[in-house]
Amino acid sequence: MTLLDTEPVAGTDTAPSRRGGAWRRLRADRSALAALVLVGLLALAALAAPLLTALEGQDPTTFHSQLLDSARGGVPHGAFGGLSGDHWLGVEPGTGRDVFARVVYGARVSLGVALAATVLELVIGIAIGLAAGLGGPRLDAVLSRVIEIAIAFPSLLLALALMAIVPDSVPRPVLVALAITAVNWGNVARVTRAQAMSLRSREYVDAARLAGLGPLPIALREILPGLTTPLMVLAALKVPNNIVNEAGLSFLGAGVRPPTPSWGQMLSTSTTWFQTDPAYVIIPGGLLLVTLLAFSLFADGVRRALDPRSVRV
């Protein structure tokens, strides 16, 4: 369940001049800036969901059965899913719930789960990767096997299993974020371990050891800053991956449950109506595609900007 299987090019120079050069290259990358603007608009729409739905005068849970054609099995009256001044993107077939309200509230779930899972993956992956890269041979051998198992295990199968055994009392978005984290932290740990092993032989690390610093201060003060570049790129790639993961789990019925909306859940529901009401398929599917494309373009721009071997613009 990954969008990209490639690993970012590592860079270890975090000096202010390097950061300034990276920012100049990123600003000169029009596709990355356009993607960043689009990501910002999506995030703003998700945060402002209550305000936007109040402007429309709708909410994501109210049924509007009077807008459905019962003779056609519950298809909305009118063109493009019943689009009107009262319902900016029409209504859901079968329920009559407002599509625009469910889309913006669904963005909160999809983006929120993806960002939360990304943060948790970074925290767990960095901790285990640093322990493996800076620990002794035995600890490295044990943790390396754990990392390899985490990466090789079928992620969808494990996520479905975790979703099945956890009690329903756990909030579903939180559970989805934890399930995604549990199956995807291995890549972060592998990158962190590789970079930590490369950096631990540097002169400034040796100097810190001679100064009497312990393993934890060395990891936090000397090694971790050198991991900024590869981890920033990896995090930018992780977000779209996790959006796909959340959508996939919701599509299979193992993710967020109604009436809480999510884009994957809407896509799952739309499979019943794609012939009679194609607009209901196009809207969540198109938004998911645009979001993934925006995050991927921005991640690629970040990679090019932070790569020390990039040509200065």
Side-chain angles (χ1 to χ4, degrees), residues 4-299:
L4 295 172
D5 292 328
T6 56
E7 293 181 9
V9 177
T12 58
D13 189 351
T14 58
S17 60
R18 178 68 67 186
R19 291 196 296 267
W23 174 239
R24 286 193 297 271
R25 287 193 293 271
L26 185 61
R27 285 188 302 175
D29 191 333
R30 294 183 179 180
S31 63
L33 286 182
L36 179 60
V37 170
L38 184 54
V39 167
L41 291 175
L42 289 169
L44 182 62
L47 292 172
L51 176 60
L52 293 174
T53 52
L55 289 174
E56 188 196 25
Q58 304 296 337
D59 63 75
T61 58
T62 301
F63 288 15
H64 302 279
S65 56
Q66 73 278 8
L67 300 178
L68 304 178
D69 187 351
S70 58
R72 298 171 58 200
V75 176
H77 290 290
F80 204 77
L83 185 148
S84 66
D86 293 329
H87 301 278
W88 296 348
L89 294 178
V91 296
E92 276 188 335
T95 65
R97 292 179 295 196
D98 185 77
V99 172
F100 176 79
R102 293 187 67 77
V103 161
V104 293
Y105 272 97
R108 280 187 156 191
V109 174
S110 296
L111 295 177
V113 167
L115 291 172
T118 299
V119 171
L120 290 174
E121 288 172 35
L122 288 173
V123 171
I124 296 173
I126 290 172
I128 295 179
L130 285 175
L134 301 178
R138 292 183 180 178
L139 180 61
D140 180 35
V142 172
L143 292 180
S144 294
R145 299 297 82 76
V146 173
I147 294 170
E148 290 171 1
I149 292 172
I151 294 173
F153 200 90
S155 57
L156 178 60
L157 180 62
L158 180 57
L160 291 174
L162 291 173
M163 300 293 290
I165 63 176
V166 176
D168 291 338
S169 58
V170 179
R172 208 65 182 180
V174 175
L175 180 56
V176 173
L178 293 176
I180 293 173
T181 300
V183 299
N184 287 304
W185 60 266
N187 288 328
V188 179
R190 181 172 62 179
V191 172
T192 303
R193 173 186 174 274
Q195 293 302 309
M197 295 185 72
S198 174
L199 294 175
R200 68 183 183 182
S201 59
R202 298 292 176 91
E203 293 181 356
Y204 59 85
V205 177
D206 291 335
R209 291 195 187 97
L210 292 174
L213 291 181
L216 183 59
I218 289 176
L220 297 178
R221 299 179 188 178
E222 308 297 337
I223 303 296
L224 191 57
L227 302 176
T228 302
T229 295
L231 290 178
M232 283 182 63
V233 177
L234 188 59
L237 293 171
K238 279 286 184 181
V239 175
N241 283 341
N242 289 336
I243 292 175
V244 171
N245 291 335
E246 185 280 326
L249 289 172
S250 296
F251 183 84
L252 294 173
V256 178
R257 295 175 178 172
T260 304
S262 80
W263 292 350
Q265 179 196 107
M266 293 177 71
L267 277 174
S268 178
T269 306
S270 69
T271 56
T272 308
W273 306 94
F274 71 94
Q275 288 184 328
T276 55
D277 187 14
Y280 188 51
V281 183
I282 294 171
I283 292 171
L287 284 171
L288 184 59
L289 176 63
V290 169
T291 303
L292 295 177
L293 181 61
F295 271 106
S296 298
L297 286 175
F298 178 65

